[in-house]
Amino acid sequence: SRVCFPPLFPACCRGRSSEGLRAHRVEQCMFRCCARRMPLNFEYLIVGGGNAAGYACREFVAQGVGAGRVGVIMAEPVLPYERPALTKAYLHPPTAKVRARLPGFHTCVGGGGERQLKEWYEEHGIELVKGKAMSVDFKSKCVTVGDDQQCTYGKLILATGCSALRVSKFGVKGDDLANVFYIREESDAAALVQALEALPEGKGQAVIVGGGYIGLECAAALVGWGIDTTMVLPEANVMPRLFNAELGKWMEDQYMARGIKIAKGEIAAEFIGTDGVLSGVTLKSGQSLPCNISVVGVGSTPNVDYCQGLKMDLGGFAVDK
C-alpha cells in the first residue's frame, strides 16, 4: 500500500510503499530535511570567507566575543587566507626556496598573528557556514545561503570583496579558452600552476594582459619559470594610477632587464585557440602574439549581487553611519 504524506514531508520519501519507506530509512531523511531548514542564529554574521573575514574573527576574539556568537558564510572551500600570496610566492617555480601553499598562509600570518586553522575557529566557537550567500533580507535580518539554509543576525558584516573584471565584458572574445586565467581564488592560482607544470621545459610563452599589480606580479612569477613573457597594457606606463612616467619607466626597465617584453598602448582584442585551448592573443593593432598561457588582470568588480536591498551610491553602498 501507498502512504499519504503532508506537504512538508521530504519529496524523496513521497510515493513509496510502507515497505519502501522502511528500506529508505525515512527517519534519517526527515532529520536531514529539517536540519537544512533550521535557521542558524548569530549575533555577528560575516558574509564572505576571505582575508577581511579572518581578521574580523581575530578582532572578535580579541574583544572577548564568546563562542556561538559569530558566524562566517564562505563560498570558497578553504578557510580565510592571505589573498595577496596567490600572485606572489604561490606562483614561484618548483626550484624556488619558498612556495606558498595552504595551510601556510591562512590568516592572520600576514599581520604577524597566529595561523587560524580549523581548530582555531572551533576553539573560539566561530561557526563556518559553507555555501554562497544568495540573498539578504535586511528587514528580517536574514541571509539565505545556497538553496535553503538561512542565517539570522544581529549585526551583519559584508566582506565579499571583488571578482576579477573579465575582458569579455568589453567585447574581447575567447577569454573562456583553456589556459586563460583570472586569479582571484586559491583554486585559480592552483590551476595556473598546474598549467605551468604541464608546459615543456623552456618552451612556454605567456601574455599578461594588464599592467597593474596582478599583471606585474604574475609577469615576475612566470619569467621565473623560464617562460617567454610579454605584458600588454593600454597605458603609457605600468601602474599609471600610482606611478608617474619616471617611476613607471624605472619599473619597466627592471622587468625588461629580466627578459620581460612590454607592449604599451596596446589592447587585447581576442584570444585565439585551437580545439578550445589558447594558442595566441590578437591585439587591436592587428599584431598577433603566440602563447600557451595568458593571465588577465585589468581590474575588479565588487561582489554585490546577493544584496540588492541596499542602496548603491558612488559605486558602493550608502550607509547611515
Side-chain angles (χ1 to χ4, degrees), residues 89-99 101 193 196-197 221 224-226:
Y90 198 103
L91 299 183
H92 283 177
T95 55
K97 293 183 179 179
V98 177
R99 301 183 80 193
R101 292 293 184 272
V193 170
L196 291 169
E197 292 173 340
W225 288 72

Side-chain angles (χ1 to χ4, degrees), residues 8-30:
L8 293 180
F9 212 84
C12 58
C13 297
R14 298 174 195 164
R16 294 177 181 266
S17 66
S18 55
E19 292 79 8
L21 280 173
R22 282 193 290 272
H24 186 60
R25 304 186 72 177
V26 66
E27 298 90 350
Q28 292 184 17
C29 188
M30 279 292 289

Side-chain angles (χ1 to χ4, degrees), residues 210-238:
Y213 280 113
I214 299 296
L216 286 169
E217 292 177 355
C218 288
L222 267 59
V223 77
W225 288 72
I227 292 174
D228 183 2
T229 304
T230 300
M231 296 183 65
V232 175
L233 52 143
E235 298 88 359
N237 57 264
V238 298

Side-chain angles (χ1 to χ4, degrees), residues 117-321:
L117 304 176
K118 180 182 178 183
E119 293 76 15
W120 184 91
Y121 291 95
E122 292 174 347
E123 177 185 348
H124 295 289
I126 297 172
E127 184 161 352
L128 305 174
V129 182
K130 299 295 183 70
K132 178 178 171 57
M134 305 303 293
S135 64
V136 180
D137 186 333
F138 296 100
K139 290 184 179 180
S140 63
K141 292 190 172 183
C142 181
V143 179
T144 299
V145 183
D147 293 332
D148 56 8
Q149 178 65 68
Q150 292 187 324
C151 299
T152 61
Y153 60 87
K155 293 187 178 181
L156 182 67
I157 298 176
L158 303 178
T160 45
C162 296
S163 292
L165 186 61
R166 302 187 70 89
V167 290
S168 54
K169 182 178 179 180
F170 308 107
V172 179
K173 299 178 180 179
D175 72 336
D176 56 348
L177 289 169
N179 286 359
V180 178
F181 297 94
Y182 292 85
I183 307 300
R184 198 268 177 179
E185 299 182 354
E186 189 268 344
S187 59
D188 300 325
L192 173 56
V193 170
Q194 185 177 19
L196 291 169
E197 292 173 340
L199 293 176
E201 186 174 354
K203 294 186 179 180
Q205 293 176 292
V207 172
I208 308 296
V209 179
Y213 280 113
I214 299 296
L216 286 169
E217 292 177 355
C218 288
L222 267 59
V223 77
W225 288 72
I227 292 174
D228 183 2
T229 304
T230 300
M231 296 183 65
V232 175
L233 52 143
E235 298 88 359
N237 57 264
V238 298
M239 298 287 288
R241 295 183 181 179
L242 185 63
F243 292 173
N244 59 21
E246 181 180 2
L247 187 53
K249 183 180 183 305
W250 177 87
M251 179 65 77
E252 292 161 11
D253 289 344
Q254 304 306 308
Y255 272 62
M256 289 187 290
R258 291 161 175 79
I260 297 171
K261 297 182 282 293
I262 303 177
K264 296 184 288 185
E266 286 280 12
I267 297 175
E270 185 176 2
F271 296 90
I272 305 300
T274 304
D275 297 327
V277 180
L278 177 72
S279 60
V281 178
T282 300
L283 306 182
K284 192 172 182 180
S285 64
Q287 182 182 1
S288 181
L289 301 175
C291 63
N292 36 30
I293 294 282
S294 183
V295 181
V296 183
V298 294
S300 59
T301 181
N303 295 322
V304 295
D305 56 326
Y306 62 95
C307 47
Q308 296 89 341
L310 282 178
K311 179 183 177 183
M312 298 293 292
D313 186 35
L314 299 177
F317 293 127
V319 297
D320 55 5
K321 60 181 177 180

